[in-house]
Amino acid sequence: MPDVAIASSWKEKLHAEFEKEYFLNLVEFLKTEKASGQVIYPQGKLIFNAFEHCSFDDTKVVIIGQDPYHGAGQANGLCFSVADGIKVPPSLVNIFKEIQEDLGKPVPKSGNLERWAAQGVLLLNATLTVRAGQAGSHQNKGWEQFTDAVIRVLNEQKKNLVYLLWGSYAQKKGAIVDTSNNLVLTAKHPSPMAANYGGWFGNKHFSQANAYLKSQGLAEIEW
């Protein structure tokens, strides 16, 4: 079994995945990429950053993205998030605009969403690595199977979670979630291409998420 550098609370829940053939093949693929000189984002220590900042027990909200950012210095292991000092990407700009409209909060200067993760928001990309400058280059290598397992274990072992599924890809990936035990909110993707055609702005997902958490006796997220 490979020694996967993932937070202990998640390692306990997902250890069986690390022994499966698809995951072993994924590890070999990543080793080959590195050996061939490919630059991979995010850097190795940040690949499982979403799990590091949001433990299994603390998870209250799940946001599903697709791929890490493929520009230099952007990806920090949390979907939609970028490191401090990096220009806020267009999709995140639209997320912040919706929060401002929904909750009246000012738009943050930083696109680093670690502060959300610390409050129990699991910011999960379907694919956890990417080649520099090549969007989607690590899709269909095994990551999707692994992140499906993450969603499955959450669905089987936790309830009263909020799932924010933005765009058709996230909605398909989250289709296994039991809607009778969790709040599942869907909208168009916040990317300008999708959001500008309607279906993103005005979704009020952030106030709805907080209202649901409050109804379950849980602390609201400071979005």
Side-chain angles (χ1 to χ4, degrees):
M1 185 178 97
D3 183 22
V4 179
I6 192 170
S8 58
S9 70
W10 287 100
K11 201 165 198 174
E12 179 190 342
K13 302 294 182 182
L14 298 168
H15 65 90
E17 297 302 310
F18 306 139
E19 300 175 6
K20 292 181 179 177
E21 184 177 8
Y22 85 86
F23 197 89
L24 299 175
N25 290 339
L26 172 61
V27 170
E28 288 307 309
F29 165 74
L30 292 172
K31 286 179 179 177
T32 301
E33 287 280 88
K34 192 171 181 181
S36 68
Q38 294 292 342
V39 176
I40 306 300
Y41 297 134
Q43 56 182 296
K45 67 180 182 180
L46 298 178
I47 291 173
F48 295 103
N49 207 26
F51 305 93
E52 196 68 41
H53 286 276
C54 182
S55 73
F56 178 84
D57 290 340
D58 289 343
T59 300
K60 299 190 293 189
V61 179
V62 181
I63 300 178
I64 298 175
Q66 191 163 354
D67 247 15
Y69 296 118
H70 54 83
Q74 287 184 302
N76 69 349
L78 311 178
C79 72
F80 294 105
S81 174
V82 290
D84 291 321
I86 299 294
K87 183 180 177 182
V88 179
S91 292
L92 187 52
V93 168
N94 284 341
I95 290 170
F96 286 160
K97 284 181 179 176
E98 175 58 25
I99 292 170
Q100 183 180 43
E101 182 67 26
D102 187 12
L103 298 172
K105 294 185 176 297
V107 173
K109 289 187 172 65
S110 173
N112 192 335
L113 302 181
E114 288 179 1
R115 59 190 180 82
W116 290 5
Q119 299 175 76
V121 182
L122 181 66
L123 294 156
L124 180 68
N125 272 320
T127 303
L128 298 189
T129 56
V130 69
R131 279 185 186 177
Q134 297 184 41
S137 49
H138 285 187
Q139 290 177 5
N140 304 314
K141 303 296 183 183
W143 278 129
E144 294 91 343
Q145 195 168 339
F146 174 72
T147 51
D148 280 348
V150 174
I151 297 167
R152 188 167 60 249
V153 76
L154 284 167
N155 189 52
E156 290 171 354
Q157 299 186 32
K158 289 181 76 79
K159 59 182 182 179
N160 303 328
L161 299 182
V162 179
Y163 289 83
L164 304 181
L165 307 180
W166 301 330
S168 59
Y169 184 91
Q171 288 158 28
K172 287 174 187 171
K173 196 164 181 72
I176 65 165
V177 176
D178 183 352
T179 56
S180 67
N181 287 326
N182 303 280
L183 177 65
V184 178
L185 299 175
T186 62
K188 288 279 184 70
H189 196 276
S191 68
M193 190 177 296
N196 291 343
Y197 285 98
W200 167 255
F201 292 112
N203 64 57
K204 299 192 181 300
H205 279 190
F206 304 96
S207 59
Q208 290 184 69
N210 277 352
Y212 180 81
L213 292 173
K214 189 175 181 180
S215 76
Q216 301 301 319
L218 299 170
E220 299 172 74
I221 304 298
E222 187 63 46
W223 297 106

